[in-house]
Amino acid sequence: MTDIDQIKAEALSAIGAATTLEALDAERVRLLGKQGQVTALLKSLGGMSPEQRQSEGPRINGLREAVSDAIASRKAALEGAALEARLASERIDLSLPAPERPRGSVHPVSQVMDELAEIFADMGFAVATGPEIEDDWHNFTALNIPETHPARAMHDTFYFPGQMDRDGRRMLLRTHTSPVQIRTMTSQQPPIRVIAPGRVYRSDSDATHTPMFHQIEGLVIDRGIHLGHLKWTLETFLKAFFERDDVVLRLRPSYFPFTEPSAEVDVGYSLKDGKRVIGGSEGWMEVLGSGVVHPRVIRACGLDPDEYSGFAFGTGVDRLAMLKYGMDDLRAFFDGDLRWLRHYGFQALDVPTLSGGVGA
Ligand code: PHE
């Protein structure tokens, strides 16, 4: 056997014996690397006589080709085996039980707040917030409800006895979201278009009242705003919320110290199998209070009522949720009963969108 034949036989058997990619690569370096055995033979061609080169050239080149082919095919084989092994070890057993569904659910109040934010965002309203622990100036005085006003007694306010803020104002739990009107008007310039959702508190408790409940306030302040804008906004909002075009509104004259004129808004319902269904006008349900912002409120916030006007409304979120999703006991909202939450709760991915009908 010539030298080259022997080198080739040894090389091919070493390649075949490599059982890992690392071992194979070491062989490649030993044979074809810069200092490799085959490389050295190729280099030796330069020092040969033309005749010698003619006979040895094809043999050495043939050796190089055979070695690199053998390395390539061994590499493919080792990689294939590695993949097979991985596939075998990472197999998924499809007969295993599926993971449990997530158990938590979104409370109807949160869901309805998200629906409302979505509807009003589409009409260009931003979301404003204010503290739940308020002072009596924001909650009452600035809203045209002075100390001696009978409306103060109507609100069943929770006061913090003996607690005053730096300006000597009595502290309380806000009785409505209307103080956010004041906080918004004193901190930002018109045009103002905000909604303010949040918790409010009144000392009141029976089947239809809980000491804590949720409201959402709406406020628009700009030049030339009038009752017509209020009516359009409420109609558009209630149709989008109840996902029906046949929602009928009834504006009833009413009284709030901070709006003039004031209107309470009823939504018409019809009776289907003894159940109230929104739409039609067989009966009426009160859903919100509203009106044109009183000039005194605008002035209390440092704005000129001759330049700016606006409208405001406030509605009970819990009540809207009850009407839309057919729940009839308000207290169940806050009992934390898991069966109730599972039944009336929403999936976390059920994000309200206008295109899907907000409640989809
Ligand atoms: N704040 C009033 C309430 O709680 C509702 C309301 C808000 C009325 C804004 C008119 C304008 O009953």
Side-chain angles (χ1 to χ4, degrees):
M1 236 202 282
T2 62
D3 238 15
I4 288 183
D5 287 337
Q6 197 177 342
I7 290 173
K8 185 167 165 183
E10 277 170 13
L12 295 186
S13 93
I15 291 166
T19 50
T20 64
L21 286 167
E22 293 75 43
L24 180 64
D25 201 54
E27 271 315 303
R28 182 188 61 76
V29 171
R30 187 181 71 77
L31 295 160
L32 300 176
K34 261 193 194 144
Q35 318 286 336
Q37 197 179 17
V38 177
T39 314
L41 283 172
L42 284 163
K43 279 185 193 154
S44 72
L45 282 172
M48 289 179 188
S49 66
E51 298 77 38
Q52 220 180 352
R53 194 181 300 137
Q54 197 135 50
S55 70
E56 291 303 295
R59 297 183 65 216
I60 295 176
N61 273 312
L63 169 65
R64 185 186 52 89
E65 227 163 88
V67 165
S68 60
D69 284 354
I71 289 175
S73 70
R74 183 70 189 148
K75 191 171 177 213
L78 288 175
E79 280 173 350
L83 183 63
E84 287 298 325
R86 219 177 125 194
L87 285 175
S89 71
E90 292 181 7
R91 207 181 43 186
I92 296 172
D93 184 351
L94 292 176
S95 66
L96 284 172
E100 270 186 71
R101 279 193 327 130
R103 292 193 188 193
S105 63
V106 176
H107 195 284
V109 171
S110 303
Q111 182 78 8
V112 165
M113 290 223 192
D114 288 348
E115 292 179 15
L116 296 172
E118 176 72 16
I119 292 168
F120 281 103
D122 191 58
M123 293 196 263
F125 284 66
V127 173
T129 55
E132 289 172 29
I133 297 175
E134 260 299 2
D135 58 68
D136 64 358
W137 187 79
H138 286 92
N139 197 81
F140 292 126
T141 316
L143 286 161
N144 195 29
I145 315 175
E147 196 81 50
T148 52
H149 199 288
R152 285 220 182 185
M154 275 160 49
H155 273 209
D156 304 308
T157 311
F158 288 111
Y159 284 96
F160 293 90
Q163 296 290 314
M164 311 275 178
D165 73 359
R166 266 179 273 123
D167 301 318
R169 297 169 179 165
R170 292 177 77 187
M171 302 306 285
L172 46 82
L173 287 174
R174 66 178 179 191
T175 58
H176 51 176
T177 43
S178 299
V180 185
Q181 289 188 34
I182 305 303
R183 292 194 173 270
T184 307
M185 279 189 271
T186 51
S187 65
Q188 102 196 30
Q189 285 299 308
I192 290 170
R193 245 184 262 145
V194 292
I195 53 165
R199 295 191 185 95
V200 301
Y201 303 83
R202 290 182 201 178
S203 177
D204 204 352
S205 185
D206 58 37
T208 53
H209 296 89
T210 48
M212 185 281 297
F213 57 105
H214 300 84
Q215 284 191 334
I216 191 161
E217 192 85 6
L219 175 71
V220 170
I221 301 283
D222 203 348
R223 295 189 174 89
I225 298 292
H226 53 70
L227 205 62
H229 295 120
L230 169 65
K231 183 160 186 272
W232 179 88
T233 305
L234 295 180
E235 222 163 64
T236 307
F237 142 51
L238 290 167
K239 282 180 179 171
F241 178 71
F242 287 112
E243 296 173 49
R244 308 183 58 121
D245 270 337
D246 59 353
V247 173
V248 189
L249 300 193
R250 188 170 76 172
L251 272 71
R252 248 181 318 106
S254 182
Y255 174 75
F256 299 102
F258 35 93
T259 47
E260 179 58 38
S262 303
E264 269 172 318
V265 179
D266 301 334
V267 170
Y269 62 81
S270 32
L271 290 167
K272 293 234 162 67
D273 307 324
K275 278 199 149 191
R276 294 171 176 191
V277 181
I278 301 290
S281 54
E282 274 179 64
W284 301 93
M285 273 178 297
E286 184 195 320
V287 290
L288 53 84
S290 65
V292 172
V293 180
H294 200 293
R296 277 201 210 140
V297 174
I298 294 188
R299 196 172 301 118
C301 295
L303 297 172
D304 179 0
D306 291 326
E307 186 177 359
Y308 292 109
S309 58
F311 64 78
F313 58 87
T315 176
V317 175
D318 318 273
R319 205 183 155 83
L320 285 179
M322 288 167 82
L323 285 176
K324 182 165 176 180
Y325 294 111
M327 296 160 278
D328 50 20
D329 187 354
L330 179 64
R331 284 172 297 193
F333 274 56
F334 312 117
D335 280 347
D337 183 332
L338 274 178
R339 289 163 306 172
W340 188 91
L341 288 168
R342 266 186 214 127
H343 183 77
Y344 288 111
F346 291 80
Q347 292 298 306
L349 295 175
D350 241 355
V351 181
T353 60
L354 274 182
S355 54
V358 278

